Amino acid sequence: MNKALKKLFFIATFALGITTVGAQKTFDNGIVTYKMTTTAQDPTAGEISMDADMTFHISGKEAKTSMSMNAMGMQMDVKSLINSQNRTGVVLMSFFGQKMAAKVTPDDYDELVKSNNDFDIEKVEPTNETKDILGYSCKKAIATTKQGMELEIYYTEAIKPIAIEGLGNINMKGINGLPLAYSMQTPQAKVSFEAKSIKEGGVKASDFNYTIPEGYKEVSFSELSQMSGGM
């Protein structure tokens, strides 16, 4: 497995945490699916691209993020469930022939939120540009994080996403609505997201199952984080 592909997987996994949704309707129950495109440069292979579908199920203070991708013939799947009210969750990863899982304790959740805060948006510059996405008129803004990373964001003011700590880019600070397209340039790669579908309502309590499925090796959340970031 070359280093560029491993970096792509790490960036995609990281996006789950940073990344993700007149009178505004509060989006407190529904499903948003984004297409994520990641590109990186490899010294020997040249440009490597990876596409993935990322789906957010949201119901009140619970959220489930599912991501499925195929990179150079290798299937990788990541699923995370969080309950921001009791600050717990579970993360499931299937990659490179391994199935790993970790439960998220309140301490883990606090670390996750703290880590995401390092990438909080510090400054938002509105523009006059607009774009239609899925029938929603979206305004363009240029945002800068505390770390100096620049994001190009298209958001609709028609929908206000519910605030869930740890859910990342669904709740962008300073953005008055739901981001439907955004892109960022990291030192490793360029990552772009665009909404493919939005469905309001229909998410049930049974959609959130925090039990680790059979066949997954359980490790601590810190171990799983180290493995995904250290490949």
Side-chain angles (χ1 to χ4, degrees):
M1 182 61 54
N2 63 52
K3 291 183 179 180
L5 183 56
K6 292 178 180 179
K7 285 181 179 179
L8 286 181
F9 177 70
F10 169 64
I11 294 165
T13 305
F14 171 73
L16 287 171
I18 68 169
T19 288
T20 138
V21 112
Q24 285 184 314
K25 294 182 290 184
T26 299
F27 195 83
D28 57 2
N29 186 291
I31 304 169
V32 184
T33 298
Y34 293 88
K35 179 180 180 181
M36 181 182 75
T37 302
T38 310
T39 56
Q41 289 293 330
D42 181 79
T44 56
E47 185 175 275
I48 298 176
S49 297
M50 178 176 67
D51 292 335
D53 285 338
M54 182 179 293
T55 301
F56 294 89
H57 288 71
I58 297 171
S59 178
K61 292 297 182 179
E62 290 186 286
K64 177 173 67 175
T65 307
S66 304
M67 182 170 62
S68 179
M69 70 194 84
N70 188 292
M72 298 178 66
M74 291 192 173
Q75 184 67 31
M76 295 175 274
D77 298 283
V78 184
K79 181 183 293 183
S80 66
L81 294 91
I82 57 174
N83 185 315
S84 63
Q85 187 165 355
N86 59 29
R87 308 181 75 77
T88 58
V90 65
V91 179
L92 307 173
M93 290 188 182
S94 175
F95 57 96
F96 308 148
Q98 302 181 73
K99 288 187 175 183
M100 315 292 287
K103 293 180 179 178
V104 179
T105 68
D107 287 341
D108 295 328
Y109 193 96
D110 290 341
E111 285 299 315
L112 176 65
V113 172
K114 182 180 177 181
S115 175
N116 287 340
N117 286 342
D118 291 339
F119 293 86
D120 273 353
I121 290 175
E122 189 171 53
K123 181 176 67 174
V124 176
E125 298 180 10
T127 75
N128 294 323
E129 293 183 49
T130 61
K131 182 179 182 179
D132 186 86
I133 302 175
L134 298 176
Y136 293 92
S137 177
C138 297
K139 294 183 177 182
K140 179 182 176 180
I142 304 297
T144 306
T145 70
K146 291 180 180 179
Q147 295 293 319
M149 183 187 298
E150 189 173 277
L151 290 83
E152 182 179 283
I153 305 164
Y154 286 91
Y155 64 97
T156 173
E157 293 183 320
I159 303 174
K160 179 182 178 181
I162 190 169
I164 298 179
E165 273 192 307
L167 198 54
N169 287 352
I170 288 287
N171 310 116
M172 291 186 179
K173 182 180 178 181
I175 300 298
N176 185 32
L178 179 68
L180 293 185
Y182 51 98
S183 61
M184 66 194 83
Q185 180 72 54
T186 75
Q188 296 87 1
K190 181 178 181 180
V191 187
S192 302
F193 297 81
E194 183 158 344
K196 294 173 57 179
S197 64
I198 300 176
K199 177 185 176 183
E200 295 186 60
V203 180
K204 308 177 292 297
S206 58
D207 292 324
F208 300 93
N209 184 349
Y210 297 88
T211 303
I212 294 177
E214 188 176 342
Y216 281 79
K217 178 183 178 182
E218 184 174 352
V219 298
S220 69
F221 181 76
S222 61
E223 286 178 292
L224 191 61
S225 298
Q226 289 172 3
M227 282 188 288
S228 62
M231 290 185 299

